[in-house]
Amino acid sequence: MTLRIRFLDAVIDGHIGSGIIVTRQELIQHFHKDNELTTGCFLSNSEIRTGVSHSPTYNHFTMRIREGVYRIHPQALLDRMQERDLL
């Protein structure tokens, strides 16, 4: 499973974040077994406006609210919930 899918699942299941708001620190702490270089830049690399993508097909899905705090685009969560047959 990709970090994106595991991250969205963790938010949907209420393990991290507050609704659609999540902090960089929550992500790093929740995925502490993953490489911190990856988890540390995951949210910023997923930004809709400024994210850097190493893949032309990567769909950006976060918006930075302030340093270290991000809003997840609701459509990304809805799409994942549909994939999991939660809706």
Side-chain angles (χ1 to χ4, degrees):
M1 237 190 256
T2 66
L3 180 56
R4 176 191 171 111
I5 289 172
R6 292 184 298 134
F7 167 73
L8 291 172
D9 285 350
V11 172
I12 291 166
D13 295 339
H15 299 295
I16 60 173
S18 175
I20 61 173
I21 306 298
V22 67
T23 68
R24 178 179 177 270
Q25 196 58 40
E26 288 173 318
L27 174 75
I28 292 169
Q29 288 175 349
H30 185 75
F31 295 104
H32 64 275
K33 292 181 181 178
D34 289 29
N35 183 327
E36 192 172 333
L37 293 175
T38 301
T39 57
C41 66
F42 176 75
L43 292 170
S44 61
N45 284 351
S46 297
E47 279 187 79
I48 291 171
R49 293 187 185 171
T50 61
V52 176
S53 180
H54 301 289
S55 169
T57 60
Y58 185 74
N59 293 321
H60 299 270
F61 64 98
T62 65
M63 292 161 269
R64 183 177 172 196
I65 296 173
R66 62 183 176 278
E67 187 173 338
V69 180
Y70 294 82
R71 178 180 179 267
I72 304 161
H73 195 287
Q75 191 62 52
L77 293 168
L78 287 172
D79 290 346
R80 181 61 186 146
M81 290 172 79
Q82 288 176 335
E83 290 170 4
R84 291 177 56 189
D85 292 324
L86 298 175
L87 294 178

